[in-house]
Amino acid sequence: MVKRKLLILGGVLLLGLALSVNGFAKKAEVKEPYKIGCLFAFTGPASWLGEPERRTAVWIENKVNKAGGINGHPLKLLIEDTKGDPTAAVLAAKKLLKEGVLAIVGPSTSGESMAVVPIMEEAEQILVSCAAAEAIVHDPKTDKERKWIFKTPQKDSHVVQRIYGHMKKSGIIKVAIITDTTGFGAQGREQLKKYAPEFGITIVSDETYGPKDTDLTPQLTKIKGTEAQAIVNWSILPAQTTVMKNRIQLGITIPLYQSHGFGNTKYAAAAGEAAEGVIFPCGRVLVAESLNKKHPQKKLLVEYKKAYESQHKEDVSTFGGHALDALNLVVAALKASGPDKDKMRSFIENKKGFVGTGGIFNFSPTDHTGLGLDSLEMLTVKKGKFDLYKK
């Protein structure tokens, strides 16, 4: 009897030992997380860009980790608030690099991105910006793409070409431009001036406004006194809605074109009836349901739009989509190449047919944006909502 009890006790001890060894082995299999830095302006004047980006990045992080991570490695985002300030963005980028991130997604705005670019190039680390200016990826001094820098929004130069192309078809040859003084506005102004002669367009008035301006009547009064047949308002600031309101108050009836920096329904809501009928080129996520069911972006756009709007109870924007594309691109590079920055960079630079919210990306050594003119749709505001422009 005693012998039998000893045998049972021994068996229990062996079983416990086996389970302990197995548990230890399982713990030993836990892989180190892949750390990605994020620079978003989720407070401050650019928060209508940065907060949708932050929310979208967190959604992707959760989605990736629920699916088992990246080749078994959890995805860990280190998110910094840049507040739309280039100096804060630079400090945050340096902090993230010290913490060993494998790449950085963001910043939200062109000015911040331009400030961070030299740091990333010197550190030889991947940056996938969520901002529009072509100069972020293309060095005008060398006339080449910057080696470690990519971006996901459509180029400002392409947006200008779509606007001018639409004007040309409409018989508009004299325009007034009014741009904000941020990096986005300044770069857009340069592109508007650069491409006007190519489309046979004359800029008859060139006005600017700052982030804190609350009355743009003086600038618009000058425009009203010109022969302008249309106005281009280029901005990412909430003040862009003041242009719309003051334009109506002054009785200006010529068409108003916006840039793709208008791609958040909060801007349209803030402008109210003054936003009705404005025309702007933008990505397709704003009109996802209107696309043909065979459109290659439709599945992704509808899935993202539904997920975002059901979780946050607000309309999706193109800005969150820029973060989705940037982070998905980095995740794909990690999945294909592992945490080798040279291989990751090469993967992104040569990636073709990557379906994103901004379009179908086809990167190359001479194109670190990867999108063409066909990535933009002409949209308008109809009854407070974005809709395809059909004229």
Side-chain angles (χ1 to χ4, degrees):
M1 189 65 177
V2 173
K3 186 177 179 181
R4 185 180 178 190
K5 286 183 177 179
L6 287 172
L7 286 171
I8 293 173
L9 179 61
V12 170
L13 288 172
L14 285 172
L15 179 61
L17 180 61
L19 289 172
S20 297
V21 170
N22 188 42
F24 178 79
K26 283 186 176 178
K27 285 182 180 177
E29 289 174 1
V30 175
K31 295 182 177 179
E32 289 292 317
Y34 284 157
K35 293 190 290 187
I36 303 299
C38 297
L39 299 173
F40 300 137
F42 50 90
T43 64
S47 62
W48 286 357
L49 285 65
E51 179 59 2
E53 292 167 352
R54 185 192 67 80
R55 288 173 169 177
T56 300
V58 171
W59 176 63
I60 294 174
E61 180 185 34
N62 291 332
K63 188 178 177 184
V64 168
N65 288 334
K66 281 182 181 176
I70 306 168
N71 299 334
H73 294 266
L75 173 62
K76 183 177 181 181
L77 299 184
L78 305 182
I79 303 177
E80 296 287 330
D81 182 9
T82 64
K83 302 179 176 61
D85 177 10
T87 303
V90 167
L91 293 173
K94 290 179 177 177
K95 178 185 174 187
L96 290 173
L97 290 176
K98 284 182 180 178
E99 292 178 358
V101 297
L102 297 168
I104 291 180
V105 169
S108 306
T109 68
S110 295
E112 296 171 295
S113 296
M114 294 298 292
V116 169
V117 160
I119 296 166
M120 301 302 287
E121 285 283 275
E122 184 178 354
E124 298 189 337
Q125 292 282 356
I126 295 168
L127 177 77
V128 187
S129 170
C130 296
E134 184 175 353
I136 294 168
V137 295
H138 190 80
D139 187 345
K141 294 180 180 177
T142 63
D143 197 25
K144 293 180 179 177
E145 301 295 270
R146 304 181 197 276
K147 183 175 179 180
W148 294 91
I149 314 299
F150 302 86
K151 74 181 196 71
T152 52
Q154 297 88 353
K155 295 178 184 176
D156 47 12
S157 59
H158 283 172
V159 175
V160 167
Q161 291 174 67
R162 286 300 304 267
I163 289 175
Y164 282 164
H166 190 270
M167 287 180 169
K168 193 173 182 179
K169 288 181 180 177
S170 304
I172 295 170
I173 58 172
K174 295 180 180 178
V175 304
I177 63 172
I178 181 166
T179 56
D180 76 35
T181 53
T182 68
F184 177 82
Q187 290 294 322
R189 180 170 174 264
E190 290 303 312
Q191 299 291 356
L192 286 164
K193 292 165 66 176
K194 176 182 176 181
Y195 282 96
E198 187 176 313
F199 285 83
I201 286 174
T202 302
I203 296 174
V204 296
S205 184
D206 178 6
E207 301 290 334
T208 61
Y209 55 94
K212 295 182 180 178
D213 285 349
T214 56
D215 180 11
L216 302 174
T217 301
Q219 291 93 324
L220 288 163
T221 299
K222 290 182 184 176
I223 290 173
K224 189 178 181 181
T226 70
E227 297 178 328
Q229 297 169 286
I231 301 172
V232 181
N233 179 23
W234 194 285
S235 174
I236 54 167
L237 297 172
Q240 65 181 299
T241 64
T242 305
V243 172
M244 299 176 194
K245 292 177 181 177
N246 289 165
R247 163 178 163 263
I248 297 298
Q249 290 162 357
L250 289 170
I252 300 174
T253 57
I254 55 178
L256 177 63
Y257 288 79
Q258 295 285 141
S259 74
H260 53 340
F262 186 61
N264 187 327
T265 54
K266 288 183 178 179
Y267 291 122
E273 292 184 0
E276 290 294 307
V278 301
I279 307 165
F280 65 107
C282 213
R284 299 183 175 90
V285 69
L286 302 177
V287 291
E289 288 89 354
S290 301
L291 298 177
N292 186 294
K293 63 181 180 181
K294 293 183 179 179
H295 194 285
Q297 286 180 269
K298 179 143 188 173
K299 182 181 178 183
L300 171 69
L301 295 179
V302 170
E303 179 197 8
Y304 170 53
K305 189 172 188 292
K306 284 184 177 177
Y308 186 92
E309 293 180 351
S310 64
Q311 185 173 351
H312 301 295
K313 311 303 179 191
E314 68 174 27
D315 290 341
V316 75
S317 73
T318 56
F319 305 111
H322 300 328
L324 183 146
D325 294 343
L327 189 51
N328 273 348
L329 199 58
V330 172
V331 168
L334 279 166
K335 193 174 292 184
S337 312
D340 183 311
K341 65 179 184 180
D342 292 302
K343 291 181 179 177
M344 289 172 65
R345 196 201 72 81
S346 179
F347 173 89
I348 296 173
E349 189 173 67
N350 295 288
K351 186 63 179 172
K352 311 290 184 191
F354 186 82
V355 180
T357 65
I360 311 299
F361 290 85
N362 291 295
F363 293 96
S364 74
T366 57
D367 185 0
H368 281 197
T369 301
L371 294 173
L373 288 169
D374 59 357
S375 64
L376 294 160
E377 292 283 350
M378 294 304 290
L379 306 184
T380 189
V381 178
K382 188 181 293 183
K383 297 181 180 178
K385 296 289 184 182
F386 293 142
D387 198 359
L388 289 167
Y389 185 80
K390 296 177 180 175
K391 286 184 181 178

